Amino acid sequence: MKKKVLTTTIATGLMAAGVLTTQNPASAKADTVPTGDNATSTNEVATQESDAKTIAQNNVNTAQTNLDKSKADTQNASDSLQQAKANETTVQKAVDEQTGKVSDAQNNVDKAQADVTTAQNGLTAAQENAKNATETNIQAAKDNVATQEQNVATAQEQAKQASDTVTEQTNKVSNAQETVNDAQKNTSAAQADVNTAQKAVDDAKTVMDPANVQATVDAANKAEAQVNQDKQDVATAQNNLENAKAADATRQTNIDNAQKAVDTAQANVEFSTKQAQEMKDQLNKYQGIKDAAQKEVDGLNDKLSNVNIIELPKGYTKEAYRAWNEANYKKYIGTATAEDLQAIKNWEDITSQEVNNSYKHNKIDEDNKILNGDIHNLTQSQLEELATFTASLLNPLRKQIGSIPLEVSKGSVEIAQDVAKKYEQDNWTAWGNVKDSTFKGHDINGLVEVANKYNFQDIGENLGGNALMYGSDNMDQLKEYTYVILVDMLLHDGDSNWGHARAALGLLNNADSYGGDDEQVDHAYIGVSFDNIPGALMGSQEHFNFMYTPYGYVLNEDNTARISTNEKFNATPVAILSTEDLVTQLNTAKAKLASATDALNKAKDADTQAQQILTKNKAELTTAQDNLTKAQNVPVQTATAQKALTDAQNKLAADTKINEDAQAKKEAALGDEAAKQKVLDQAKANLATAQKALTDAQAKQKAAENSLSAEKAKLASLQQVANEKTQDVKAAQVALDDVKNKLAALENAPLLVKAAEDKLAAAQKALDPVENVLVSEKAKLSALKQDLADAQADVTTAQKNYDEKLAIQTKAQTDLDNAKKVLQAIYDREALEAQIAAQEKAREEAEKKAAAEKAQAEKNGYHVDGNKVVDENGNQVANWTVKNGQIIDNKGKVVSGLTINKAGAVVNKTGQQINSKNVVDNLQFKRTQAPVVQSKVAGKTYVSTVVAPEKAKTNALPQTGEKESKTTLVGAILVGLGSLVGLFGLGRKKEY
């Protein structure tokens, strides 16, 4: 069999517009290429495969790089988008908040406008009322008042009469009700009499019966005994009533005394409560005074502990400076002596000393915020505070030097701001302006212009110069900056020939052109301001303007004398707080604190005493109330005792009557029949009388009830009339109030007009600021809406950029996936080729092994050739064929006990291949001694030993047939010979 090599063809795509196009690996086809004649072609294929793999790997690397960059771009775009969205959210929140402010402002405007409208209507009404305030109308109004007052009086009289009538009728109803009650009692009594009379009749009838005589006698004795007991009970009840009256009198005395104690205790509590509250109020008052004093002391202590000072080097004096100044001038003109040179060196030594000047921060100044950090928009208070702070730093030094102190006034602060504005208008820096970089120093023309504005001959100089100014959020930062600037001016001003220092310390002399020594003037004012200038050399700068004067004078008309008045300059002083002032204030504050503390302690003592007294009085009140409750809880005995006496008396009366009846019955029972009959007749007569009395009582009760109903109906009618009259009084009073108000309006018409005008003016005045606020808030909202629109546009732009970057990233991911697929297809193809090669090698080895096994099988014995069975010599075995991998005999039955292995060998159950030698053994016959038989078949001679079985066995031969064979020896031999002939049949050997 010739070998074949399986190769795989794959197409490697080219990069086009960033997309890898490849042939689907699943569609790659396998070609068979002979190894011998196509070795060169195989090498070429291997080389091409290696190149394709390298290209594919490069494509993957490139795609991965593109993807990584795209992811980074996408992430940046995502961050930008999130930032834009966050900014949009922030601006949206600001818009929402501002919308709320606009809504609130609009509501305020609407309310203010409504107030204006109401006030306008009120003024119109007042003016109309004023027009009607004539003498005639006022008199008519007075007449109306008098008339209406009479109407009220009449209505009140009628209402009183109606009320009196109702009261009278109410009494009648009450009397009628009493009549009804009495009639009901009489009816009940008459009914009781009837019942008693009926019982007497019944008892008389009973007496007529002789069998009841003894019972009657016993009842009479019992009734008599009960009357005697009732008399004793009445006497006891009478005695108890007297005792109860005495006890109740004692109880009432106790209650009265307890009530007096409660009233006294209650008054004490009310008084002490008032006193305690007054003491508490006084305590709170003195606590507030003490707290305020403590706060003042703490504040002054804090100020003193944080007072900033500037120290000059030792020897820094006016004399030393002027000696240097004069010597320096001589040196400049070449006339300096050794003494002059020494004076110059002395000054240099003085100013080169190191002085530890450091700024002390202040919490109060830190909390004093600068609006938006804009030092050009300080409040008036902040401007004045900064100027006084500067003066407080310089004045101790000026005092040390011997110069007059600096002052701050409203005008000096104002001038400083005008100087700053002038510098900005002129775009001025130390180097001139933005168009001229020549060094020019200060804006002299600007300073002169400001001086003229305030009618000053000279305002001194703008001290400070150009310095980079960093933003300040609060006054503490701004003061620190000022402190640093001043230290630099005083101690490091050599480059400016100490011009800033001498101006700050009052060291000017006649050589200067600023108006002479400070000693020649009455006042030296300062102010501080800032201006922002686009500097010619260092970009945008903050210019620190320290106005160390203006001088407090102007010249007269002929310029021959100075005058002290200047109407254009506001000399209103602004207090400068020195350390000495702080100490004085602190001592005063401490004295106030001590006094307040003493007063507070006394107030605390008074409060404690008041609280103790209040607590004591409350306890006494509680005790008194408890005593009163106990006294009131003692039961009243008189009523109970009186009732007991009354009940005993009533019982005695009733039992006496019963006894009388019983005695009469006894006498009757013991008397003759005529007497008994007489008693019965009398009882019947009494019953008839009682029945008539009951009928009369019932009739009177009915009449009384009818009268009561009539009186009640009349009362309801009269009550309705009285209610109507009461309403008439109210209506008349309303009418009276109305005419009185009209009269008052007419009489006070001018005042009402003035009040209405004031109210309208106030309402209009209140309207303007809220309208301004509304305009301002709307403007802010409009600006914020524009910001929101810009933010939304930024989000849209960022979203678009993100979507584009994400699309590029998605495409880069797709390119990478495709490149990886191409590379994976190459690896898969190589693996497939290796697998196919291995399979081919295994197949070849299997074929070799199978061929060897088959050759061995052909050599060793029976084996299969197509559908035939042949022996080791290639001769076909008779009567056997192969069908469906099984050996079939000539009857079409499967030969049992034999199978065909993979090599085509015919083997028995133990896997042993059968051959011509062991075929009989395999047919399960025992060998016996027998003659050798020679047979000739198809011209060939076969030698065989005849096998004779000792006993015939079932299925001895490896072929299907009867289950049990009873062949004879001859039959067995014949069968065996036949089988041998079949087994050793001739056949042609097949070549493979």
Side-chain angles (χ1 to χ4, degrees):
M1 182 178 183
K2 296 181 180 179
K3 296 181 180 180
K4 295 183 178 180
V5 177
L6 182 65
T7 61
T8 303
T9 302
I10 185 168
T12 302
L14 300 177
M15 291 291 295
V19 179
L20 285 172
T21 57
T22 66
Q23 178 180 332
N24 188 340
S27 65
K29 297 182 179 179
D31 296 332
T32 55
V33 182
T35 57
D37 299 335
N38 294 282
T40 301
S41 176
T42 300
N43 292 334
E44 292 176 354
V45 169
T47 300
Q48 293 173 359
E49 291 175 355
S50 176
D51 293 342
K53 183 177 179 181
T54 300
I55 293 173
Q57 184 62 58
N58 292 338
N59 290 341
V60 169
N61 295 341
T62 301
Q64 184 65 58
T65 300
N66 292 338
L67 178 59
D68 293 341
K69 181 179 181 302
S70 177
K71 284 183 176 179
D73 293 342
T74 302
Q75 184 61 49
N76 291 335
S78 176
D79 294 342
S80 298
L81 176 58
Q82 295 306 316
Q83 181 60 43
K85 287 183 177 180
N87 184 50
E88 179 189 16
T89 301
T90 301
V91 177
Q92 182 64 61
K93 181 180 179 181
V95 168
D96 295 341
E97 292 177 351
Q98 189 60 33
T99 300
K101 292 181 180 179
V102 169
S103 177
D104 293 341
Q106 185 63 60
N107 292 337
N108 293 336
V109 169
D110 294 342
K111 182 178 180 302
Q113 185 61 59
D115 292 342
V116 170
T117 301
T118 301
Q120 183 62 61
N121 294 337
L123 177 59
T124 301
Q127 291 172 338
E128 185 65 27
N129 176 69
K131 292 179 182 178
N132 296 326
T134 63
E135 290 294 334
T136 301
N137 289 339
I138 292 175
Q139 185 59 47
K142 289 180 179 180
D143 295 341
N144 288 338
V145 170
T147 300
Q148 197 58 40
E149 286 176 341
Q150 182 60 44
N151 292 339
V152 170
T154 301
Q156 289 175 336
E157 179 62 27
Q158 292 176 351
K160 183 177 182 303
Q161 293 175 358
S163 177
D164 293 343
T165 303
V166 168
T167 301
E168 181 181 355
Q169 186 62 30
T170 300
N171 294 332
K172 290 181 179 181
V173 170
S174 177
N175 294 333
Q177 182 65 56
E178 290 179 357
T179 300
V180 169
N181 294 340
D182 292 341
Q184 289 175 339
K185 291 179 182 179
N186 293 335
T187 300
S188 298
Q191 182 64 55
D193 291 342
V194 169
N195 295 338
T196 300
Q198 182 64 52
K199 186 176 185 301
V201 170
D202 294 338
D203 290 341
K205 289 180 180 179
T206 301
V207 171
M208 296 286 292
D209 187 353
N212 295 325
V213 173
Q214 187 60 47
T216 302
V217 171
D218 293 340
N221 294 336
K222 182 178 180 181
E224 185 177 7
Q226 184 62 51
V227 167
N228 293 331
Q229 181 63 45
D230 288 347
K231 290 179 179 179
Q232 294 178 3
D233 291 342
V234 168
T236 301
Q238 184 66 49
N239 185 55
N240 290 340
L241 176 60
E242 296 301 325
N243 293 335
K245 288 180 178 179
D248 285 348
T250 301
R251 173 182 178 276
Q252 187 60 49
T253 299
N254 293 337
I255 290 176
D256 293 341
N257 292 335
Q259 184 63 57
K260 290 179 181 178
V262 168
D263 294 341
T264 300
Q266 182 66 51
N268 291 338
V269 167
E270 291 175 357
F271 177 77
S272 58
T273 299
K274 181 180 179 182
Q275 287 289 344
Q277 185 59 50
E278 290 177 355
M279 293 302 100
K280 180 64 68 178
D281 294 341
Q282 185 173 346
L283 176 62
N284 293 334
K285 171 186 174 183
Y286 284 114
Q287 183 67 55
I289 294 173
K290 190 262 184 183
D291 291 343
Q294 185 65 59
K295 183 177 181 182
E296 184 179 2
V297 169
D298 293 342
L300 290 170
N301 277 325
D302 184 60
K303 286 183 178 179
L304 279 171
S305 64
N306 290 283
V307 167
N308 281 286
I309 61 172
I310 298 176
E311 291 186 6
L312 297 178
K314 185 177 181 181
Y316 197 121
T317 64
K318 180 183 294 187
E319 291 73 21
Y321 163 73
R322 288 185 172 175
W324 167 82
N325 190 35
E326 184 176 351
N328 197 47
Y329 175 74
K330 292 179 180 179
K331 180 180 178 182
Y332 176 75
I333 63 176
T335 62
T337 65
E339 185 179 358
D340 293 329
L341 295 178
Q342 184 60 44
I344 294 174
K345 183 178 184 304
N346 290 342
W347 180 253
E348 291 175 349
D349 292 341
I350 291 171
T351 56
S352 63
Q353 296 177 54
E354 291 295 331
V355 182
N356 184 19
N357 284 308
S358 60
Y359 176 78
K360 294 180 181 179
H361 293 275
N362 185 287
K363 181 64 170 59
I364 297 177
D365 289 334
E366 289 177 358
D367 295 336
N368 189 353
K369 302 298 182 182
I370 295 174
L371 183 62
N372 299 324
D374 183 7
I375 63 173
H376 305 286
N377 193 25
L378 299 177
T379 65
Q380 182 66 24
S381 175
Q382 289 172 333
L383 289 171
E384 292 176 0
E385 182 178 350
L386 191 60
T388 57
F389 171 74
T390 305
S392 69
L393 292 173
L394 293 176
N395 277 343
L397 305 180
R398 291 173 69 94
K399 182 178 181 181
Q400 176 182 333
I401 290 295
S403 301
I404 64 174
L406 293 171
E407 302 174 48
V408 177
S409 72
K410 299 289 185 181
S412 66
V413 173
E414 184 180 1
I415 289 176
Q417 308 315 306
D418 284 351
V419 168
K421 293 176 183 177
K422 187 58 182 173
Y423 265 71
E424 289 186 346
Q425 291 173 0
D426 294 344
N427 286 327
W428 195 271
T429 69
W431 296 92
N433 53 47
V434 294
K435 295 181 179 180
D436 182 3
S437 60
T438 303
F439 181 79
K440 294 186 177 181
H442 300 293
D443 187 3
I444 302 301
N445 291 334
L447 295 175
V448 171
E449 183 178 330
V450 174
N452 291 336
K453 175 182 176 181
Y454 290 93
N455 199 26
F456 275 104
Q457 184 71 15
D458 194 349
I459 61 170
E461 93 171 40
N462 170 340
L463 178 63
N466 295 323
L468 291 178
M469 176 62 188
Y470 297 97
S472 299
D473 294 329
N474 55 61
M475 287 299 291
D476 183 67
Q477 294 177 349
L478 198 55
K479 286 183 178 180
E480 181 181 17
Y481 171 74
T482 301
Y483 182 91
V484 172
I485 285 290
L486 291 177
V487 169
D488 188 60
M489 290 178 181
L490 297 173
L491 304 182
H492 307 98
D493 202 36
D495 292 341
S496 298
N497 283 328
W498 302 96
H500 297 99
R502 66 185 181 183
L505 298 176
L507 297 176
L508 297 175
N509 56 40
N510 292 328
D512 296 298
S513 58
Y514 302 118
D517 285 343
D518 283 349
E519 291 92 335
Q520 299 177 2
V521 298
D522 299 327
H523 302 280
Y525 294 98
I526 66 166
V528 176
S529 63
F530 302 93
D531 59 78
N532 184 271
I533 302 299
L537 296 181
M538 294 182 289
S540 180
Q541 304 173 33
E542 287 295 345
H543 197 169
F544 177 78
N545 301 305
F546 167 38
M547 303 305 302
Y548 76 96
T549 56
Y551 296 114
Y553 71 90
V554 293
L555 297 178
N556 60 11
E557 293 182 357
D558 57 2
N559 294 330
T560 59
R562 297 178 179 179
I563 58 177
S564 59
T565 58
N566 186 351
E567 295 179 355
K568 293 185 178 181
F569 175 71
N570 187 351
T572 303
V574 177
I576 302 173
L577 200 60
S578 65
T579 303
E580 292 78 6
D581 295 332
L582 287 174
V583 171
T584 300
Q585 290 184 10
L586 177 60
N587 292 333
T588 302
K590 285 181 176 179
K592 289 169 56 179
L593 176 60
S595 175
T597 302
D598 181 63
L600 176 61
N601 291 333
K602 292 179 180 178
K604 285 181 178 178
D605 293 339
D607 178 64
T608 301
Q609 292 176 2
Q611 292 298 330
Q612 291 173 347
I613 294 173
L614 176 60
T615 301
K616 174 178 173 293
N617 289 341
K618 284 184 176 179
E620 292 177 352
L621 174 60
T622 300
T623 301
Q625 289 172 334
D626 291 342
N627 293 336
L628 176 61
T629 300
K630 290 177 182 178
Q632 291 172 336
N633 288 338
V634 173
V636 177
Q637 301 179 35
T638 299
T640 302
Q642 181 65 57
K643 185 177 184 300
L645 175 59
T646 301
D647 291 343
Q649 290 172 338
N650 291 337
K651 189 172 187 300
L652 175 59
D655 288 344
T656 298
K657 187 175 182 181
I658 291 172
N659 182 46
E660 290 173 352
D661 292 340
Q663 296 303 324
K665 291 176 183 177
K666 175 181 176 182
E667 291 176 1
L670 296 176
D672 55 16
E673 292 299 323
K676 294 179 180 178
Q677 184 61 50
K678 183 179 179 181
V679 171
L680 176 60
D681 293 340
Q682 184 61 46
K684 288 181 178 179
N686 292 339
L687 175 61
T689 300
Q691 287 175 334
K692 183 177 183 305
L694 175 62
T695 301
D696 293 342
Q698 289 174 337
K700 290 180 180 179
Q701 179 182 348
K702 181 64 176 176
E705 289 175 345
N706 292 337
S707 177
L708 175 61
S709 298
E711 295 297 343
K712 284 184 176 179
K714 186 176 181 180
L715 175 61
S717 176
L718 292 174
Q719 186 65 57
Q720 178 65 30
V721 172
N723 292 339
E724 292 174 354
K725 295 301 181 180
T726 300
Q727 294 299 321
D728 291 344
V729 172
K730 291 181 180 180
Q733 186 62 51
V734 171
L736 175 59
D737 293 340
D738 182 57
V739 295
K740 282 184 176 180
N741 290 334
K742 290 180 178 178
L743 174 59
L746 292 173
E747 290 178 335
N748 298 289
L751 296 177
L752 293 177
V753 171
K754 180 64 170 61
E757 289 174 343
D758 293 342
K759 187 174 183 180
L760 176 59
Q764 290 174 334
K765 183 177 180 180
L767 177 61
D768 293 338
V770 294
E771 284 182 336
N772 293 335
V773 170
L774 177 60
V775 172
S776 175
E777 297 298 344
K778 283 184 175 180
K780 293 178 182 178
L781 177 60
S782 178
L784 286 173
K785 284 184 176 180
Q786 183 57 50
D787 293 342
L788 178 60
D790 295 340
Q792 290 171 338
D794 291 342
V795 170
T796 301
T797 301
Q799 184 69 54
K800 180 179 179 182
N801 182 52
Y802 171 73
D803 293 341
E804 292 174 352
K805 299 301 182 184
L806 183 61
I808 294 173
Q809 177 183 334
T810 303
K811 181 177 179 297
Q813 184 66 58
T814 302
D815 293 346
L816 177 61
D817 294 342
N818 291 335
K820 285 182 177 180
K821 288 178 181 179
V822 171
L823 181 61
Q824 188 61 45
I826 294 176
Y827 282 117
D828 292 345
R829 183 201 64 199
E830 290 178 348
L832 178 61
E833 289 178 347
Q835 181 181 359
I836 293 173
Q839 291 175 349
E840 180 63 20
K841 182 177 181 182
R843 183 182 64 77
E844 291 176 351
E845 291 178 352
E847 287 179 351
K848 289 179 182 180
K849 182 178 179 182
E853 291 176 349
K854 185 175 183 182
Q856 189 65 36
E858 292 173 355
K859 178 180 179 181
N860 291 341
Y862 287 9
H863 57 277
V864 175
D865 184 8
N867 62 347
K868 296 178 291 183
V869 179
V870 297
D871 61 13
E872 60 271 21
N873 297 317
N875 298 318
Q876 181 176 355
V877 178
N879 299 324
W880 282 1
T881 59
V882 177
K883 185 176 182 181
N884 296 329
Q886 293 177 315
I887 301 173
I888 307 300
D889 63 11
N890 55 2
K891 292 182 179 181
K893 302 294 185 179
V894 176
V895 178
S896 63
L898 298 178
T899 57
I900 303 171
N901 65 13
K902 294 181 180 181
V906 179
V907 297
N908 59 18
K909 292 181 178 180
T910 63
Q912 181 182 9
Q913 185 178 6
I914 63 173
N915 53 36
S916 298
K917 180 179 179 181
N918 61 18
V919 65
V920 177
D921 294 333
N922 280 283
L923 294 178
Q924 300 178 2
F925 283 95
K926 288 187 178 180
R927 294 183 179 277
T928 60
Q929 191 66 33
V932 177
V933 179
Q934 293 185 349
S935 300
K936 288 186 177 181
V937 180
K940 293 186 178 181
T941 300
Y942 295 91
V943 179
S944 175
T945 300
V946 179
V947 179
E950 294 178 349
K951 184 179 180 179
K953 296 182 179 179
T954 303
N955 291 334
L957 293 176
Q959 60 185 20
T960 59
E962 299 88 351
K963 292 184 180 180
E964 185 175 355
S965 178
K966 298 181 179 180
T967 58
T968 62
L969 178 61
V970 176
I973 294 172
L974 292 176
V975 172
L977 290 174
S979 297
L980 289 172
V981 172
L983 289 172
F984 298 136
L986 299 175
R988 183 174 61 84
K989 184 178 181 181
K990 183 175 182 180
E991 295 292 336
Y992 291 92

